[in-house]
Amino acid sequence: MPTTVKAYAATSATEPLTLTTIERRDVGPHDVRIDIRYSGICHSDIHTARGEWGPTDYPVVLGHEIAGIVAEVGSEVTGFRVGDRVGVGCLVDSCRECPYCRRGDEQFCVEGYVETYSSTGRDGRPTQGGYAEAIVVTEDFVLRIPDGMGLDVAAPLLCAGITVYSPLRHWRTGPGTRVAVVGLGGLGHMAVQLASAMGAEVTVLSQSLKKQEDGLRLGATHYAATSDPDTFSRLAASFDLVLNTVSASIDLDAHLSLLAVDGTMVNLGIPEHPLSLNASSLLMRRVSYAGSNIGGIRETQEMLDFCAEHGIATLIETIGVEQVNEAYERVVASDVRYRFVIDMATLA
């Protein structure tokens, strides 16, 4: 029989999140039941809760940065045992048969991957995320959190970490690579640490210099304010890779001018409104404008192990579940350094 658990859910686009109960499926042969200890707050949660990316099927339990402890395993599970420290990210299933799934890129599944929340599972029921006491996930989509890494700081790696790690790896970041990170927020502060650990020379591009000390401490070599009109002329044609981590609208042509010949700008944030650019911004130096969408399970595990090896962690502010609505407002106002994490023990 399904199990009832406490959760915090959005019931409409305009009402605050409230305490509720949801049903989790019974543990099947290949399933893992996880007692959730921490759940990170991603801006995607807020967009979904408020219906900003299209219609949302309410009520919905948000949260796809999940860290916890294995409480039960199915009869045929081989990779996990009760007591293991584990995580769940943005995807909980896929077809597993298409070329992309077979090569470990489940995020590009031809049939569309099953998202952790606001999606439809193989049982035909809506998926519900990590602002809850527990979750049941098939073992192929469960990540192992390395020993020595706190569950609280690990949780945001399951979205923020992999979202920046995947493009850094895809565009072969390494020694000698010049990387600019647009925005020093939840994604940006991870991008700085990861790119620096990979050997890149990192520059933070932020609206102001108010976070300069943080950026340099996290591994950036340079820090520049995009509000200064001299920044774009001074740094023209300076970078091999520009990661845009913000969801706000920016001047694409100005940022593309920062790329060296054959450089690439990768969009990671999803602005509410469409962006536009001038084709000439791409032509003169054969630059590319691209996007990237999280990463597959294999790459996400690689990212977790890389972070453990290099001592990389998210900088977090831990809150109780009753503070979620206030935290949402603070995320929108960019008033967090750098990721809110909910202590799910406060649901008890």
Side-chain angles (χ1 to χ4, degrees):
M1 294 289 293
T3 302
T4 300
V5 300
K6 294 179 184 177
Y8 237 60
T11 57
S12 80
T14 56
E15 295 297 316
L17 276 65
T18 53
L19 182 65
T20 187
T21 58
I22 59 172
E23 285 190 346
R24 295 299 195 192
R25 70 174 186 261
D26 194 14
V27 175
H30 297 281
D31 286 338
V32 175
R33 176 184 169 89
I34 301 163
D35 286 342
I36 300 174
R37 296 288 189 262
Y38 297 95
S39 187
I41 294 179
C42 175
H43 210 138
S44 301
D45 301 349
I46 302 172
H47 287 305
T48 302
R50 297 180 175 179
E52 294 170 348
W53 284 348
T56 296
D57 186 15
Y58 300 101
V60 59
V61 177
L62 294 309
H64 57 204
E65 299 179 339
I66 302 166
I69 304 295
V70 174
E72 183 181 353
V73 297
S75 59
E76 298 182 34
V77 170
T78 58
F80 300 96
R81 296 182 299 176
V82 172
D84 283 351
R85 294 154 28 89
V86 296
V88 178
C90 302
L91 57 163
V92 292
D93 210 345
S94 69
C95 79
R96 311 189 212 184
E97 297 176 353
C98 73
Y100 303 110
C101 286
R102 288 202 302 269
R103 77 182 193 189
D105 284 330
E106 296 93 347
Q107 75 275 26
F108 302 130
C109 177
V110 170
E111 294 186 11
Y113 65 82
V114 178
E115 298 180 63
T116 307
Y117 61 76
S118 201
S119 191
T120 302
R122 289 192 168 189
D123 59 2
R125 301 174 59 193
T127 56
Q128 304 286 3
Y131 299 2
E133 290 180 299
I135 192 170
V136 178
V137 180
T138 181
E139 71 166 323
D140 291 344
F141 289 80
V142 177
L143 288 307
R144 186 175 300 280
I145 294 176
D147 293 339
M149 179 181 287
L151 292 177
D152 52 353
V153 298
L157 295 177
L158 281 307
C159 177
I162 187 57
T163 296
V164 295
Y165 182 87
S166 187
L168 287 170
R169 278 294 192 224
H170 181 78
W171 276 277
R172 300 178 182 176
T173 301
T177 307
R178 299 165 297 173
V179 175
V181 176
V182 181
L184 193 68
L187 296 182
H189 92 288
M190 289 306 307
V192 170
Q193 293 181 80
L194 288 165
S196 177
M198 292 173 184
E201 178 182 336
V202 182
T203 298
V204 175
L205 302 173
S206 187
Q207 287 182 309
S208 72
L209 300 178
K210 67 180 182 179
K211 297 180 183 177
Q212 181 172 9
E213 184 177 338
D214 283 358
L216 297 177
R217 179 168 51 85
L218 289 168
T221 304
H222 311 286
Y223 202 106
T226 54
S227 57
D228 181 350
D230 292 336
T231 292
F232 290 98
S233 57
R234 179 170 56 85
L235 297 178
S238 293
F239 302 106
D240 305 299
L241 183 66
V242 174
L243 292 186
N244 177 25
T245 71
V246 303
S247 294
S249 297
I250 64 170
D251 185 338
L252 287 184
D253 296 307
H255 286 77
L256 288 165
S257 74
L258 301 174
L259 291 169
V261 172
D262 289 330
T264 302
M265 177 174 173
V266 184
N267 217 79
L268 303 177
I270 305 177
E272 186 176 352
H273 303 291
L275 302 176
S276 62
L277 61 85
N278 190 320
S280 64
S281 297
L282 306 175
L283 304 179
M284 302 311 292
R285 290 182 313 285
R286 198 169 58 191
V287 303
S288 301
Y289 180 50
S292 182
N293 175 30
I294 56 173
I297 297 301
R298 186 185 310 148
E299 189 172 51
T300 304
Q301 187 64 61
E302 179 185 298
M303 176 274 305
L304 288 168
D305 295 339
F306 183 90
C307 287
E309 179 184 350
H310 293 272
I312 295 171
T314 46
L315 302 183
I316 64 170
E317 182 176 334
T318 306
I319 62 170
V321 72
E322 72 282 355
Q323 298 171 276
V324 165
N325 293 298
E326 176 190 351
Y328 272 25
E329 296 302 327
R330 287 181 56 193
V331 170
V332 172
S334 299
D335 180 25
V336 57
R337 294 192 179 181
Y338 285 92
R339 205 69 161 183
F340 282 117
V341 173
I342 307 167
D343 180 353
M344 300 312 302
T346 58
L347 261 182

